[in-house]
Amino acid sequence: MISAPRRRRSPPWFGAETRRALAAGLAVAGLALLAGWPYWRGHPAAAAITLASCAAIAVVGVLLATGGRTRRTGLLFAAASVCWAANWAASWDATLGPIMSPYAQATFYLALAVGVLLYPGGRLEYLADRIWTVLACVVLWGCPTALWVTSEPEWAAFRGDSVWWPAPFPDLEVFRTVLKVSGGLYVFLAVSLAVVLLLRLPRMGRMRRLLILPVTLAIGFVGISAALTQKPVMTTSIPLDDLLHVYVVQGAVVVIVPLTLLASGLRVRIAELTVAGRMLRLTAPVSVERVRDALRDVLHDPTLELWFWAPMEETYVDTAGLPVTLDLADDGTGERDGDRRRHRVRSAAGGPLAVVELGGALRDHGSLVEAALVAGGRALETARLQASVQAGLEQVRAAYRRLVRAETVERERLARDLHDGAQQRLLALGAMLGTLEAVTGDPAVREHARNCRGELMEALAELRALAREVQPALLVQDGLGPALEVVAERLGTRVALDVTPRRFSREIESTLYSALCEALSYAVDRARATQVSVRVGEKDGRLVAEVGLDGAAPAAPAADLAGLTGRIRALRGEVEVDGGPGTGTTVRMDLPCE
């Protein structure tokens, strides 16, 4: 028996994390209410503002603490809310409250500022951040210590009978000097924080800059406002109500920071939701390059690289189907060039699917990267199939290239054997016949020797022609241009040659020479061309050869030239054949230079 699902009594966004955050906010607000009760009884509006700001900071802190990289920021914000609540113990004007209040206020601002410096990476990345943090600890904790050491409690707005205030070295003039110095240090600390925050922005990636900029402006405004509002109250014998009123103003301004952080978090969530739609739009129709370009676009990382797992080859291949060797850790991550990260993507069945290499700017946006990869899951699966097929084709091409290389070596060996073996023996035999013809006295023998020698020379000429066809010596020694000139002279058709003098690898030159010879043979035998042009040159790192011919071309010139097409494509080249009956024919071959 299957029971019906239980009806949900709360909205889906109101989960355990949200309930804990609200509970923490209520607890901190209750602490602030208790700490400042003597003041709140006469100032209900100030109480409402302060309790709301304490609760807001606590709620945002607990929510941030649930994230991986924002955990430290969240804990500091939660601690800051408790410190701000405890700061109001000064309103009791009794026991430890007055001396504890300046330290609570200082720790509040310190925790808030350091929390922003840690956001969203979870660590103090830059030297300026660490220097400012140490300086802030010295100033924010040193100034309150100097104040109570050199003053009486009534000089600092506290006149209660039970106030605990050690004051080992009270001196009014020294106390006034400490107040002035402390006020100046607070302003310097606030301005330097704003400078440190602004200096970080150019060194961040675009996505992180968009995330941190509003928070930077908010904390900079809060810091400067706090320093400016704190400085006027740094005077002797200020009334306690005036001091607490400044605290209310500061608390109302500080609430900007958690609200800005909340808005930044919502912006990240909205980006994660919209990335799915963008991935679907950008990857239709699916191709290997389109999937990679779509990831680059939605993640704002033009340097992103993508490799797919080829199961038949049991290795990763790039977008062209070429195998690559990747150094990955057991958890599927890796580092390259310091900041770059590699992320392994698995298929729905759990097997390897792809590896994505990301720039360091995306290190703090793991959820956005994951959302893009999940949204593009189907496209990645389809692109992986295409990459696997391309990898298979590359294996076939590699095997064909090895055959071409072996054929080239064998041609060279055969041409060398013909020249050094058969030709030399025939020449020696011809010399022997010549000697016989010269020394014999029998006319019949002389005539027979002369005829044999003539036949031998014709056979030797045919053998030399065969050797040139197998591997022309000019091709090996001087390159394509001189070798093609010899071929053009034997055609009996007008041929215009424009061939680059640059030399290429043996496989490239041998394959292109054979293809051009086949194209020239087609021009004479099949197309009956009267004029032929051959251009061979380099363009954008590719070797481009073009054969143009007039004449009444057959109905299907591409079919007649299928043989040369296979040889060229085996070396990762391309062949284009244009033309038809009455229009002439153009054969264009494109090969990599290396």
Side-chain angles (χ1 to χ4, degrees), residues 401-416 470-480 483 502-515 543 567-568 571 591-594:
R401 283 195 296 272
R402 288 193 294 270
L403 289 176
V404 170
R405 191 175 297 113
E407 180 187 357
T408 302
V409 173
E410 187 62 22
R411 281 172 175 269
E412 292 179 355
R413 186 194 64 78
L414 183 57
R416 187 169 54 251
V470 170
Q471 185 70 27
L474 278 175
L475 178 64
V476 177
Q477 295 172 5
D478 300 328
L480 282 169
R502 179 186 166 182
R503 299 302 304 272
F504 303 93
S505 66
R506 291 186 304 172
E507 293 82 7
I508 294 292
E509 288 188 346
S510 178
T511 301
L512 187 58
Y513 174 78
S514 299
L543 178 59
R567 288 197 295 273
I568 295 297
L571 296 180
L591 282 162
C593 288
E594 300 296 337

Side-chain angles (χ1 to χ4, degrees), residues 73 76-77 111-120 193 197 200 212 215-216 219 257 261:
T73 297
L76 285 173
F77 271 49
L112 206 65
V114 175
V116 171
L117 290 176
L118 290 171
Y119 181 80
L193 174 62
L197 292 171
R200 298 195 311 164
I212 202 68
V215 184
T216 298
I219 192 65
V257 175
L261 274 172

Side-chain angles (χ1 to χ4, degrees), residues 264-319:
S264 296
L266 289 175
R267 185 174 184 176
V268 171
R269 292 301 181 190
I270 292 172
E272 293 173 5
L273 293 174
T274 57
V275 75
R278 294 184 63 194
M279 279 296 297
L280 293 176
R281 289 196 304 272
L282 293 173
T283 56
V286 175
S287 69
V288 175
E289 292 80 6
R290 188 179 288 272
V291 171
R292 181 198 60 194
D293 295 341
L295 287 172
R296 287 178 175 179
D297 185 80
V298 300
L299 296 177
H300 304 286
D301 183 5
T303 65
L304 181 145
E305 293 295 340
L306 183 62
W307 299 284
F308 291 95
W309 176 254
M312 296 297 294
E313 291 74 17
E314 294 188 348
T315 186
Y316 285 96
V317 297
D318 60 14
T319 53

Side-chain angles (χ1 to χ4, degrees), residues 537-544 588 590 593:
E538 182 185 359
K539 182 179 180 181
D540 298 330
R542 308 278 294 182
L543 178 59
V544 180
R588 188 176 187 275
D590 187 310
C593 288

Side-chain angles (χ1 to χ4, degrees), residues 344-365:
R344 181 180 293 167
V345 184
R346 295 194 175 274
S347 63
L353 176 60
V355 170
V356 182
E357 185 179 88
L358 308 164
L362 290 169
R363 182 182 56 199
D364 302 324
H365 302 280

Side-chain angles (χ1 to χ4, degrees), residues 312-583:
M312 296 297 294
E313 291 74 17
E314 294 188 348
T315 186
Y316 285 96
V317 297
D318 60 14
T319 53
L322 298 175
V324 294
T325 301
L326 302 179
D327 184 16
L328 293 172
D330 293 337
D331 60 353
T333 61
E335 293 190 12
R336 177 175 176 267
D337 297 337
D339 265 350
R340 299 187 67 77
R341 306 284 179 193
R342 285 174 179 164
H343 181 78
R344 181 180 293 167
V345 184
R346 295 194 175 274
S347 63
L353 176 60
V355 170
V356 182
E357 185 179 88
L358 308 164
L362 290 169
R363 182 182 56 199
D364 302 324
H365 302 280
S367 59
L368 186 62
V369 173
E370 194 66 29
L373 294 176
V374 170
R378 289 183 178 273
L380 285 169
E381 292 274 7
T382 305
R384 195 269 297 272
L385 295 176
Q386 296 179 4
S388 298
V389 172
Q390 188 67 25
L393 291 175
E394 286 300 323
Q395 291 239 338
V396 174
R397 289 194 181 106
Y400 204 104
R401 283 195 296 272
R402 288 193 294 270
L403 289 176
V404 170
R405 191 175 297 113
E407 180 187 357
T408 302
V409 173
E410 187 62 22
R411 281 172 175 269
E412 292 179 355
R413 186 194 64 78
L414 183 57
R416 187 169 54 251
D417 290 346
L418 289 174
H419 180 273
D420 298 339
Q423 290 188 54
Q424 297 302 322
R425 290 184 180 182
L426 290 176
L427 285 172
L429 183 58
M432 293 170 63
L433 289 172
T435 303
L436 178 61
E437 181 184 354
V439 300
T440 184
D442 189 342
V445 173
R446 186 183 298 113
E447 182 65 24
H448 189 65
R450 184 182 299 112
N451 292 336
C452 288
R453 189 168 174 238
E455 291 292 334
L456 187 63
M457 291 299 104
E458 290 182 6
L460 183 60
E462 292 178 0
L463 186 61
R464 285 174 174 169
L466 176 61
R468 285 195 299 270
E469 292 294 334
V470 170
Q471 185 70 27
L474 278 175
L475 178 64
V476 177
Q477 295 172 5
D478 300 328
L480 282 169
L484 289 174
E485 288 178 3
V486 174
V487 175
E489 289 174 0
R490 298 202 307 264
L491 282 179
T493 301
R494 185 177 177 182
V495 180
L497 291 175
D498 181 11
V499 182
T500 176
R502 179 186 166 182
R503 299 302 304 272
F504 303 93
S505 66
R506 291 186 304 172
E507 293 82 7
I508 294 292
E509 288 188 346
S510 178
T511 301
L512 187 58
Y513 174 78
S514 299
L516 289 172
C517 287
E518 184 173 341
L520 291 173
S521 176
Y522 164 82
V524 175
D525 298 338
R526 296 279 294 161
R528 306 297 179 185
T530 58
Q531 290 185 352
V532 181
S533 64
V534 178
R535 289 191 297 271
V536 180
E538 182 185 359
K539 182 179 180 181
D540 298 330
R542 308 278 294 182
L543 178 59
V544 180
E546 186 175 288
V547 179
L549 52 114
D550 61 3
D560 293 331
L561 296 169
L564 71 87
T565 301
R567 288 197 295 273
I568 295 297
R569 288 181 176 174
L571 296 180
R572 299 180 59 80
E574 295 295 334
V575 177
E576 295 180 7
V577 181
D578 295 328
T583 62

